[in-house]
Amino acid sequence: MKKIFLSLLITLTLISSSYADEGMWVLPLLKQQKLPIMQELGLRLQDYDIYNPDSSSIKDAIVIFGGGCTGEIVSPDGLLLTNHHCGYGQIQKHSSVEHDYLTDGFWAMTKEQELPNPGLKVTFIDKIEEVTSFVLDALQRDEDPTGMNYLSPRYLNELAKQKVGEKFLQDNPGTEVEIKPFYGGNQYYMFTKKIYSDVRLVGAPPSSIGKFGADTDNWMWPRHTGDFAVFRVYADAYGNPAEYSEQNVPLRPKQWLKISLAGVQENDFAMIMGFPGRTNKYYTSWEVAERRDIDNRVRIDIRELRQQVMLEEMLKNPHVRIQYSSKYAGSTNAYKNAIGTNWAIDKRDFERVKWEEQDKLLAWANRNNRPEYKEALSAMEQIITGRKDLQFRLWMIDEALLRGIEFSSVPVHIEGLQTALKAKNKTQVEEALKGLKDSYANFANKDYSPDVDKKWQKYC
């Protein structure tokens, strides 16, 4: 049996010495979409071995780590592997000048030494099911059937709760349901998720290994970095998600991946599964130009300046280096991605490629007397080109102010203070001021430097 190497994405990439295929394939549709091709390339599994909503399968070993990274369960005791850069924020939060885990690495020799990470979550996908008819029926009954609810996360997630019912959620602790629009709202899938919030850091290599090559090598292949970190998922005594507690025990997962040390042979089958987030495969030519000339250009220019500010302060002060390592890494990640995306757009002339696709669609529409396609393309062109100035301003505000100035994210509720001042109610004024001070105290934690923030504000 050929070896199977799994890292995981709900996008699958099939690789052999002479053939590679990529695209977004939803797991429930694996059998009709790609399974025959995968088996021709050497896969010895069936579709239900990979995705089975009613029994354990490989998808039960694949998790969403944090806000969007992929992780893999690799032991019967809830041990989890993810990328070093995905765990970088947690490693940074536990670091100090005295205990610099970023530089030196960290390894827990016992479970008691594993470090908790408040706010970090690990999400298992129990089931993915198509609910297009259910959503379309609900949209028809909506007060504003031509509005934006067809893409609204709030609206769609309320529908998800209605579909499964409150009793289901009450009987399944830690379970959440979410409906996602696919293909611009032409199809809908409901995800049933189990979310664990007691996730502890087990080990991480020094940054000289985990970030080897750093920003120069980021988004470049081949890479030679030991880009991994190790965590463990904990649950209550019944295996249910629970907040951190010393009484919690390592999760006993439905499935875990077995790691082979036998090595790789030529023509071995390789498969990647995971959570890629989204695809922009269906961009129009005008959206490609907008992405290159506005979205990416602003991100590149603004982040280059802000990263210079952060790096100057990080090099001067070891304490600031610890504070801003994760922020700097997060900024440079998207910065390098934008540079690479623009390079690819120009190298492959994607704008022209999209023009040619649009011309083919118009030719088909003319041959088949379908003027609505020409009208749709014309409307899209007008909307996208017409929002140029607004799009530029929005990206400048987002990158320079909302993301750039950290102080702007302090949660401020001044309505109560305004009311108290107008009423000249001293007690209410004092309570409102205390609330503002508490908000700032929660914001200005150990990872915030007012001096760095002020220095950036001078650039804006």
Side-chain angles (χ1 to χ4, degrees):
M1 177 175 175
K2 294 190 176 182
K3 302 176 187 68
I4 298 171
F5 300 91
L6 296 170
S7 153
L8 230 97
L9 285 153
I10 284 188
T11 301
L12 303 176
T13 302
L14 314 178
I15 304 167
S16 76
S17 60
S18 60
Y19 178 88
D21 195 4
E22 58 81 27
M24 186 182 76
W25 304 314
V26 184
L27 288 180
L29 303 180
L30 186 59
K31 186 172 184 178
Q32 54 264 52
Q33 283 186 323
K34 288 294 174 181
L35 187 66
I37 294 174
M38 294 165 68
Q39 291 177 331
E40 286 177 12
L41 292 171
L43 176 68
R44 301 296 176 86
L45 301 176
Q46 298 299 320
D47 60 299
Y48 50 78
D49 297 316
I50 298 170
Y51 171 79
N52 189 335
D54 302 315
S55 182
S56 70
S57 54
I58 289 175
K59 63 96 176 164
D60 295 308
I62 309 306
V63 301
I64 302 173
F65 180 87
C69 282
T70 297
E72 304 88 41
I73 301 297
V74 294
S75 89
D77 292 316
L79 209 61
L80 178 153
L81 281 180
T82 190
N83 296 100
H84 184 269
H85 68 265
C86 291
Y88 197 71
Q90 281 69 43
I91 303 166
Q92 181 268 331
K93 287 177 182 177
H94 290 295
S95 295
S96 64
V97 175
E98 296 76 23
H99 299 285
D100 188 354
Y101 300 137
L102 289 171
T103 300
D104 302 329
F106 168 81
W107 299 100
M109 296 296 104
T110 66
K111 290 186 176 65
E112 289 71 28
Q113 293 176 357
E114 296 172 3
L115 301 176
N117 301 278
L120 176 61
K121 298 181 186 300
V122 162
T123 302
F124 291 78
I125 305 297
D126 285 341
K127 182 188 295 185
I128 307 170
E129 54 187 312
E130 187 182 357
V131 291
T132 304
S133 297
F134 172 77
V135 174
L136 294 181
D137 288 345
L139 287 169
Q140 288 297 317
R141 300 191 302 270
D142 191 61
E143 295 178 358
D144 185 13
T146 61
M148 292 300 294
N149 277 342
Y150 77 106
L151 294 176
S152 167
R154 179 180 296 180
Y155 176 85
L156 294 174
N157 291 339
E158 282 300 318
L159 286 184
K161 292 177 183 176
Q162 292 175 25
K163 183 167 178 58
V164 299
E166 286 298 327
K167 187 176 187 306
F168 172 82
L169 297 175
Q170 292 171 2
D171 293 344
N172 294 273
T175 296
E176 294 184 8
V177 287
E178 178 182 26
I179 292 178
K180 287 280 192 181
F182 281 61
Y183 312 110
N186 285 288
Q187 204 167 25
Y188 294 89
Y189 284 89
M190 185 170 76
F191 293 74
T192 302
K193 308 178 294 183
K194 184 157 284 190
I195 302 174
Y196 290 82
S197 54
D198 186 353
V199 185
R200 306 181 195 180
L201 176 63
V202 176
S207 288
S208 58
I209 296 174
K211 280 178 65 68
F212 182 80
D215 305 314
T216 302
D217 283 358
N218 191 18
W219 295 100
M220 308 294 285
W221 288 271
R223 295 190 69 188
H224 306 283
T225 175
D227 187 8
F228 73 94
V230 186
F231 290 78
R232 194 186 306 276
V233 182
Y234 281 76
D236 67 16
Y238 303 99
N240 293 319
E243 293 298 319
Y244 170 81
S245 168
E246 291 183 358
Q247 280 68 51
N248 286 346
V249 296
L251 175 68
R252 304 293 292 180
K254 297 179 186 177
Q255 183 80 256
W256 65 91
L257 304 183
K258 289 76 176 176
I259 298 176
S260 170
L261 301 179
V264 183
Q265 303 300 318
E266 187 174 356
N267 294 325
D268 277 348
F269 178 82
M271 178 177 80
I272 302 174
M273 295 176 61
F275 303 93
R278 61 182 174 272
T279 175
N280 297 315
K281 184 176 181 178
Y282 300 105
Y283 264 3
T284 62
S285 62
W286 310 291
E287 288 170 301
V288 170
E290 180 183 75
R291 175 74 174 268
R292 177 191 61 208
D293 300 334
I294 298 178
D295 304 5
N296 286 346
R297 189 74 261 158
V298 171
R299 171 166 281 175
I300 292 167
D301 292 344
I302 296 298
R303 292 197 179 203
E304 192 169 282
L305 288 172
R306 185 162 182 261
Q307 286 158 199
Q308 180 181 338
V309 170
M310 286 192 284
L311 187 58
E312 287 174 355
E313 298 304 308
M314 289 165 67
L315 292 174
K316 287 193 297 188
N317 187 325
H319 181 64
V320 174
R321 177 180 61 80
I322 298 291
Q323 287 181 310
Y324 279 78
S325 287
S326 182
K327 297 172 187 177
Y328 183 83
S331 179
T332 58
N333 188 50
Y335 163 78
K336 183 69 179 290
N337 177 277
I339 292 173
T341 301
N342 278 5
W343 172 85
I345 289 172
D346 290 337
K347 182 175 178 62
R348 303 297 183 188
D349 201 357
F350 280 137
E351 189 176 6
R352 178 187 58 79
V353 169
K354 291 297 181 179
W355 271 111
E356 292 176 352
E357 290 179 354
Q358 290 160 198
D359 287 343
K360 289 178 182 178
L361 175 62
L362 289 174
W364 175 89
N366 288 332
R367 289 195 306 270
N368 292 275
N369 193 29
R370 300 294 296 271
E372 64 268 28
Y373 285 89
K374 182 177 181 179
E375 294 167 4
L377 275 176
S378 178
M380 293 172 73
E381 180 182 12
Q382 291 178 17
I383 292 169
I384 296 164
T385 57
R387 71 189 185 189
K388 179 179 178 181
D389 292 340
L390 176 61
Q391 187 81 349
F392 176 79
R393 290 196 295 271
L394 287 173
W395 271 91
M396 287 294 292
I397 290 170
D398 183 63
E399 286 289 338
L401 302 180
L402 299 180
R403 293 177 185 268
I405 299 176
E406 296 176 80
F407 187 78
S408 67
S409 64
V410 178
V412 177
H413 305 285
I414 61 172
E415 295 84 1
L417 179 59
Q418 291 174 330
T419 301
L421 288 170
K422 288 178 181 178
K424 297 182 180 180
N425 187 317
K426 185 177 180 180
T427 300
Q428 290 182 357
V429 169
E430 290 176 352
E431 290 177 354
L433 287 173
K434 182 179 182 302
L436 291 175
K437 290 177 181 177
D438 290 344
S439 292
Y440 177 75
N442 291 331
F443 160 79
N445 57 25
K446 74 178 187 70
D447 295 327
Y448 176 67
S449 168
D451 292 336
V452 175
D453 213 10
K454 288 175 184 176
K455 187 172 181 179
W456 168 246
Q457 290 175 46
K458 293 178 182 179
Y459 280 81
C460 297

